[in-house]
Amino acid sequence: MNTEDFDYYLPKEQIAQHPSDRRDFSRMMVVDRKTGEIEEKHFYDIIDYLEEGDCLVMNDTRVIPARLFGHREDKQEKIEVFLLKDVGDNNWEVLVRPGKKMKIGAHCIFSEELSCDVIDIKEDGNRIVKFNFDGIFEEILDRLGNVPLPPYITEKLEDSERYQTVYAKNPGSVAAPTAGLHFTKELLKKIEDKGIKLVYITLNVGLGTFRPVSEDNIEDHKMHSEFYTLTKESADIINETRRNGKRVVATGTTSIRTLESVYKKCGEIRADSGWTDIFIYPGFKYNVVDCLITNFHLPKSTLIMLVSAFSSREIILNAYKKAVEDGFRFYSFGDCMFLK
């Protein structure tokens, strides 16, 4: 299967530059993943598609202020350091711009309380840096760092909390699990009152989520790794839901990646944590998830491939075509789809 098979046309003006005025007022395309039948609703209607006894799985990761701006010790030119992965002992894998200026041993100063030294350069050009600081790193990062937005969002975000889900709890992501941005606390309370169990998992979203598939044959693409955690409490609720013949509803591709990774590794759903580079594309057999809430994804991305595997390439591309025709808003701050 070729990467070009997952391309579609999207006018630039339909890339959402800001969130809707109210989270749950986003538009929602409801798609029968077997027949392709389409309804057009708003996200607050999601409660009508959830049934008593179902469980709703959400990724409670929190986006960290991963963009730091500083300068080299011997120069005043600006250096951007983008945090990717905590590798322990105050060392982080980072992207550096301009990279050529930051060789091993280079020292970058962000403020009087924070600096870093390049201690290694990986094959892909990413740097490993050691941070030097006085105090608590997370608190310093909150003061000095900037929450990163996807490259296709060019307008300033007035309220950075709109790029966090209302249930964001565990810091570690450099991008939001955007399908969850549509929920409000009030809507979650209504869902819970209807008898749907709320289940939280954690997968720290990496920058690779925005990287296009560069290989012609999708099977040649190498996925980035992301760290996940599934607790015993969450695993027990999911297993109980499945035993009772009810549905597991995943919020976003990150929830799917976590659940299907655990099943692939363990042969069942149970408490687990680790790194996953699972690549889901048409032909993949889903073992855990029955329904999916997801945003509209970039052409030729691993995410549209995952969604196509949950239904079919033809049904998904037809739904995307109709979404374009009907003026839906796309990507992180855009509208969403419910695949039932």
Side-chain angles (χ1 to χ4, degrees):
M1 195 167 283
N2 294 323
T3 302
E4 290 294 330
D5 294 335
F6 297 89
D7 197 10
Y8 68 91
Y9 170 72
L10 178 68
K12 186 177 179 181
E13 59 269 20
Q14 284 180 247
I15 300 174
Q17 293 297 313
H18 52 81
S20 60
D21 291 339
R22 284 185 54 178
R23 290 178 184 260
D24 59 351
F25 273 51
S26 300
R27 294 173 70 188
M28 179 175 68
M29 177 175 281
V30 181
V31 182
D32 186 309
R33 66 186 180 111
K34 293 186 173 67
T35 68
E37 182 182 354
I38 292 173
E39 302 172 82
E40 294 187 7
K41 300 287 184 176
H42 287 87
F43 191 72
Y44 51 71
D45 295 313
I46 189 67
I47 193 167
D48 297 331
Y49 294 89
L50 302 176
E51 301 169 1
E52 182 179 354
D54 288 346
C55 72
L56 178 65
V57 182
M58 294 166 284
N59 183 4
D60 65 4
T61 190
R62 185 171 179 83
V63 183
I64 61 173
R67 297 182 73 193
L68 287 166
F69 294 96
H71 59 86
R72 283 196 297 160
E73 188 173 29
D74 54 341
K75 301 283 185 180
Q76 289 302 309
E77 62 186 308
K78 184 181 288 187
I79 299 290
E80 179 184 352
V81 174
F82 192 111
L83 279 61
L84 296 176
K85 186 188 300 181
D86 183 353
V87 295
D89 197 27
N90 298 326
N91 298 336
W92 281 75
E93 181 179 344
V94 300
L95 281 175
V96 178
R97 298 187 183 93
K100 291 181 179 179
K101 304 290 186 179
M102 295 294 285
K103 303 183 185 301
I104 293 177
H107 185 67
C108 183
I109 299 170
F110 306 103
S111 72
E112 292 182 357
E113 58 185 344
L114 182 67
S115 65
C116 74
D117 298 287
V118 179
I119 61 175
D120 194 15
I121 300 177
K122 300 186 66 179
E123 286 185 11
D124 59 7
N126 292 350
R127 269 58 175 172
I128 304 296
V129 302
K130 175 175 278 295
F131 281 101
N132 316 295
F133 54 90
D134 293 318
I136 299 172
F137 180 72
E138 290 76 11
E139 293 181 357
I140 297 172
L141 193 61
D142 280 340
R143 288 196 296 274
L144 299 181
N146 296 274
V147 171
L149 291 176
Y152 45 75
I153 295 176
T154 57
E155 296 182 11
K156 184 179 178 182
L157 180 63
E158 297 297 332
D159 179 7
S160 62
E161 280 301 305
R162 289 304 307 271
Y163 193 58
Q164 306 277 8
T165 62
V166 296
Y167 47 78
K169 178 182 177 183
N170 295 310
S173 285
V174 299
T178 54
L181 295 179
H182 307 284
F183 285 105
T184 64
K185 290 181 178 179
E186 294 78 14
L187 180 56
L188 287 171
K189 178 67 165 56
K190 289 179 182 178
I191 290 171
E192 197 169 23
D193 288 347
K194 189 176 177 179
I196 292 102
K197 297 287 181 66
L198 306 184
V199 179
Y200 296 96
I201 55 93
T202 305
L203 182 136
N204 291 331
V205 187
L207 196 62
T209 192
F210 300 120
R211 287 179 175 160
V213 177
S214 56
E215 305 289 346
D216 292 333
N217 185 337
I218 65 173
E219 294 180 26
D220 295 332
H221 176 69
K222 180 173 174 54
M223 286 290 290
H224 58 285
S225 293
E226 296 171 317
F227 191 80
Y228 68 86
T229 301
L230 175 64
T231 66
K232 183 179 185 302
E233 179 185 8
S234 293
D236 288 347
I237 295 172
I238 293 167
N239 285 326
E240 181 185 13
T241 300
R242 299 175 73 205
R243 280 194 302 269
N244 292 337
K246 304 305 287 186
R247 302 176 304 170
V248 176
V249 181
T251 303
T253 58
T254 60
S255 295
I256 275 190
R257 280 170 56 79
T258 301
L259 297 178
E260 297 295 339
S261 292
V262 171
Y263 191 93
K264 180 181 178 182
K265 174 183 175 183
C266 305
E268 62 179 343
I269 291 297
R270 67 184 189 197
D272 190 51
S273 65
W275 294 92
T276 179
D277 61 356
I278 192 170
F279 183 15
I280 298 175
Y281 54 87
F284 180 86
K285 181 182 181 297
Y286 282 88
N287 293 288
V288 185
V289 178
D290 301 294
C291 302
L292 172 63
I293 299 167
T294 186
N295 278 18
F296 292 95
H297 303 294
L298 277 73
K300 299 188 285 189
S301 64
T302 60
L303 303 181
I304 195 172
M305 294 172 189
L306 180 153
V307 175
S308 295
F310 195 67
S311 175
S312 75
R313 186 181 69 90
E314 292 76 19
I315 286 175
I316 294 304
L317 289 182
N318 180 66
Y320 272 53
K321 181 174 181 291
K322 183 160 179 56
V324 171
E325 291 171 351
D326 293 356
F328 276 68
R329 302 164 75 239
F330 278 61
Y331 305 165
S332 294
F333 285 146
D335 299 313
C336 69
M337 176 185 288
F338 179 61
L339 284 161
K340 62 177 184 174

